[in-house]
Every structure is written in C-alpha cells, then in structure tokens.
Amino acid sequence: MTSLPPARILAIETSCDETACAVIENGRALLASTVASQMELHARFGGVYPEVASRQHVLSIVPVVEQTLAQANITLSEVDAIAVTRGPGLAGSLVVGMNMAKGLALGLNLPIVGVNHLEGHIYSAWVYDSPALRGDAIPPEPQFPLMALLVSGGHTELNLMTEHLTYKRLGSTLDDAAGEAFDKVARLLSLPYPGGPSIQRAAERGDPARFKFPRARLDSPYDFSFSGLKTAVLYTVNDLKKESKYLPVEDLAASFQAAVVETLFEKTMQAAREFKAREILVAGGVSANRALREAFQSQTEFRVNIPALSLCTDNAAMIAAAGYYRYALGHLSGLEMDVQPTWALSD
C-alpha cells in the first residue's frame, strides 16, 4: 500500500455506557483519551439500562471532549477530521455521540467519518500511547493477511483481513457471545457485574480441571456456541446445591473460563493456519481476560497483536484509529448519516 497522508483525528464513542473521546495522529499515535464510565450507575441493574445510559451521555459528552482536547494540548482548529461510532450499539446512546460529532464537523467545516464499533475494536491493535513512549521505539503495526478474533459482550467472530478495511467473516457465534456468557455465568455464581472481571478474579483461585464442561463441536469449524456451556454450568450449580450448601465458585469459574479460552484459542489458531495468516489479532472486551491473553502469547507459531488493557473495553482511541484509515482512504460520510444500531462489520 502507498504511504497514507498525515492526519489528526478526533473521535467520539457512545455506543453503550461509556462516553469517550480521543485524538490520534496518523492512525496510531494516541495523543489523548478520555473515558467517562457509567459502570456504577448500571451495576444495580446487573447490566446496562439504555435510558439511563443515553441521559448520562448527554451530561458527559461536552466535558469529555473538552478534557480530551486539553489533555492533547490542541484546539479544534488543529483537527483534520471527526470520527464517530455509527453502530452497532444502543440507539439512544449512539444518537448523542452522532449529534455531537455532526455539530463539530458542521461548525468547523471538517469531514466526518462514521465508524463501525466492531471495526474500532480491531483497530485498537494499531494504537500506541505516544507520550508514554518517551523516545522508545514505535511498536510494529499488525501485518496482513491477519486473522482477527473479535470477542466482546455482544459479538464473537473470526475475520480474515487481507488489507485495511477489508473483512471476510469466517464464523461467528450462533447464540451467546463469549462476553455475554461470562456475564450470565457470573450471575449464576452470584458474582458481581460486570461478569468478565469477576469470573477472572474467582478463576485465579480455582481449579480449571475440576469440572469437565463441554466445548461445542459444530458443523462449521469457525462458528462459536456458548449456550450449551452456560447451560452445563447451570445444571452443575443446581446439582451441587441439591447435594450441599457449599458451592465451589472458584473451581466453577476456572473450569468455565478454561472452556471458553480453549474454544477461542483453538478455532483462531486453526483458521490462521488454514488461511495462511501472517499474524493473529485478538480484540474486544474479552481480550482483556488474562487467561485468553496468556494462551495466545504463549504460542510461537504466529505473532499476536492484542491491545493494551486500557484499549480492550469501549474507548474512542480505537474509533479514531479506524476513522483515520477510512479518512485517509477516502471512505468519508456525510451529515445525512444516521446511526445503525445493528450494523454488521462486513456491511
């Protein structure tokens, strides 16, 4: 690919319950990132309450943008384009970020780029913290062809990338996404929301081999299914409660986590071999899971690209990175753009 033009992108992300803004140079160098979390607001509901989320975005969006610009030590006049999450996500939440981005683009006469949230997660692997390097070497960027495992609360899928912004979906979940399964099993084990971190903490003290939970075997080798695993945990918990008042939460969490990690790891490795990928990329909220990261980082067959922990969950740096490549390659949007709450990555 020919060299791409330099550009500074300001991005806004409000797809769910995080109000975020970031500034990135040239698709990789992160100058500033701000995330206003609503986790405590939603914890009492055991999940995200859409109306509460959208109202909180309205309160947070302007201060978050102002804080990001101050952190980056720039003004809006020094921005080349605006990127914003268009979908998928909660409609009410997406609209808040979209309207803010449109207002900035219109007021500053800047181009605007609508970014798929899932694409953003993938491009989080390109981002590095520019101020933190302090003269250190810039980390290498992912190389194509690339096998990308996208694993989050709402999505679990394998995509082959042969170049920027090009995806061939090889498989996806047939039921629960991996992150959704973590949340549901955490509730079964009476662990607090969000389920991913709670399962991980409990699993660190447990025996992953105590319970032999199933790994779904499907006709399509690169599809995923976690509903049966979740049901197996439910039946095991019910049986244990009948037999005894004691519930080995740590062992149950560790055995469940091991089943999820093994499935994700083995399918991704198989796909990378079959499609002759040069490297593997793992992104999305579940990529923060320590056991999953260690599984991929311990193998030596493929170089693996996993975002920094701060970039695994929802943030605007990933939207700015993806937005840069869309801007640089001429994939611009217009002010008539609307949100797409169910927008698939390959559309």
Side-chain angles (χ1 to χ4, degrees):
M1 177 181 291
T2 58
S3 60
L4 298 177
R8 184 175 287 162
I9 309 296
L10 182 145
I12 293 170
E13 149 66 23
T14 60
S15 64
C16 190
D17 63 334
E18 313 282 18
T19 312
C21 181
V23 178
I24 274 191
E25 282 187 338
N26 307 332
R28 300 200 66 207
L30 178 61
L31 302 186
S33 177
T34 305
V35 179
S37 175
Q38 302 179 20
M39 187 178 299
E40 291 185 5
L41 287 175
H42 299 283
R44 56 182 153 168
F45 304 118
V48 177
Y49 197 89
E51 185 176 352
V52 172
S54 58
R55 289 180 178 179
Q56 190 61 39
H57 284 309
V58 172
L59 297 174
S60 301
I61 187 67
V62 172
V64 162
V65 172
E66 291 176 342
Q67 181 178 337
T68 303
L69 290 168
Q71 182 185 343
N73 195 28
I74 65 170
T75 64
L76 285 170
S77 63
E78 297 172 270
V79 172
D80 295 299
I82 306 295
V84 61
T85 303
R86 187 179 184 185
L90 301 174
S93 293
L94 289 166
V95 165
V96 177
M98 179 66 73
N99 287 342
M100 182 68 179
K102 285 183 178 181
L104 291 173
L106 181 62
L108 299 165
N109 194 29
L110 289 176
I112 187 170
V113 181
V115 175
N116 187 298
H117 179 81
L118 307 180
E119 181 172 75
H121 273 304
I122 288 174
Y123 274 87
S124 62
W126 268 260
V127 178
Y128 64 88
D129 189 342
S130 185
L133 285 181
R134 297 180 181 177
D136 293 343
I138 295 174
E141 61 183 297
Q143 298 296 308
F144 304 113
L146 190 64
M147 187 56 60
L149 171 66
L150 181 60
V151 56
S152 67
H155 302 85
T156 300
E157 58 185 65
L158 273 171
N159 289 280
L160 176 65
M161 294 183 67
T162 53
E163 59 183 347
H164 282 298
L165 311 178
T166 301
Y167 313 96
K168 178 181 179 181
R169 185 187 295 173
L170 305 178
S172 60
T173 183
L174 303 179
D175 39 60
D176 293 345
E180 183 181 5
F182 270 95
D183 284 339
K184 290 179 177 178
V185 169
R187 286 197 289 272
L188 289 175
L189 301 180
S190 299
L191 294 172
Y193 174 85
S198 296
I199 291 284
Q200 177 179 290
R201 286 192 295 269
E204 289 171 354
R205 301 184 298 272
D207 177 5
R210 178 169 178 184
F211 298 98
K212 304 299 182 183
F213 291 133
R215 281 67 163 162
R217 305 300 176 190
L218 306 171
D219 293 335
S220 176
Y222 303 124
D223 281 334
F224 300 89
S225 173
F226 297 105
S227 179
L229 170 60
K230 176 197 65 180
T231 301
V233 176
L234 171 63
Y235 288 162
T236 301
V237 167
N238 289 340
D239 289 343
L240 289 168
K241 286 180 177 178
K242 291 177 183 177
E243 297 170 4
S244 169
K245 294 182 180 180
Y246 169 71
L247 193 66
V249 171
E250 290 85 0
D251 292 343
L252 287 163
S255 299
F256 163 77
Q257 178 178 266
V260 174
V261 169
E262 181 182 320
T263 299
L264 296 172
F265 176 76
E266 288 188 352
K267 285 180 177 284
T268 304
M269 292 293 290
Q270 181 183 345
R273 295 184 191 110
E274 179 177 343
F275 290 91
K276 297 179 171 55
R278 290 180 63 182
E279 298 181 2
I280 286 172
L281 184 153
V282 184
V286 181
S287 67
N289 180 270
R290 184 177 294 112
L292 183 64
R293 296 171 81 92
E294 290 175 351
F296 280 102
Q297 291 168 340
S298 64
Q299 58 81 34
T300 58
E301 190 174 350
F302 299 95
R303 178 173 176 265
V304 62
N305 304 273
I306 306 180
L309 286 173
S310 61
L311 298 175
C312 292
T313 51
D314 291 353
N315 63 87
M318 67 186 197
I319 303 302
Y324 165 78
Y325 287 100
R326 291 208 162 268
Y327 166 79
L329 294 169
H331 297 236
L332 303 181
S333 306
L335 292 175
E336 74 283 357
M337 168 178 57
D338 200 358
V339 300
Q340 289 188 243
T342 58
W343 193 14
L345 179 60
S346 57
D347 289 352

